[in-house]
Amino acid sequence: MDNPWLTVATVVTVGVLRLMGDVIRWLAARSGERLRARTLAELVSRTAPGTVLTDRRPDGAALTIRRRVEERDGGDRGA
């Protein structure tokens, strides 16, 4: 005897597990992107002013970070 509720429960469980897997993969990819961006920012912070670093991906995406040239006015900032 086949129980129709068991079939429904199985289909729902498989669907939920697939959805959870997709969410976990998406979160991992997002976390990896944040880590790449932080690493690139850290690299640029250790370089000379005016440096530009670009992270190019095989899929065509690119992230570019430019270090600003800090202006020095030589004036008194305290007053």
Side-chain angles (χ1 to χ4, degrees):
M1 293 187 336
D2 287 343
N3 185 345
W5 289 109
L6 182 59
T7 304
V8 169
T10 302
V11 169
V12 169
T13 301
V14 168
V16 167
L17 289 175
R18 283 185 181 172
L19 180 62
M20 287 174 55
D22 290 343
V23 168
I24 289 169
R25 279 188 291 280
W26 179 79
L27 288 172
R30 184 173 169 158
S31 176
E33 290 298 316
R34 287 181 181 170
L35 180 61
R36 279 180 90 137
R38 259 186 278 148
T39 302
L40 193 59
E42 180 66 25
L43 285 171
V44 121
S45 72
R46 296 173 185 247
T47 61
T51 300
V52 177
L53 291 179
T54 302
D55 179 19
R56 296 188 194 279
R57 316 267 169 69
D59 64 356
L63 173 66
T64 301
I65 297 180
R66 178 185 314 270
R67 182 164 180 199
R68 292 184 184 162
V69 178
E70 296 140 357
E71 294 186 30
R72 299 178 189 218
D73 57 0
D76 185 20
R77 294 179 184 239

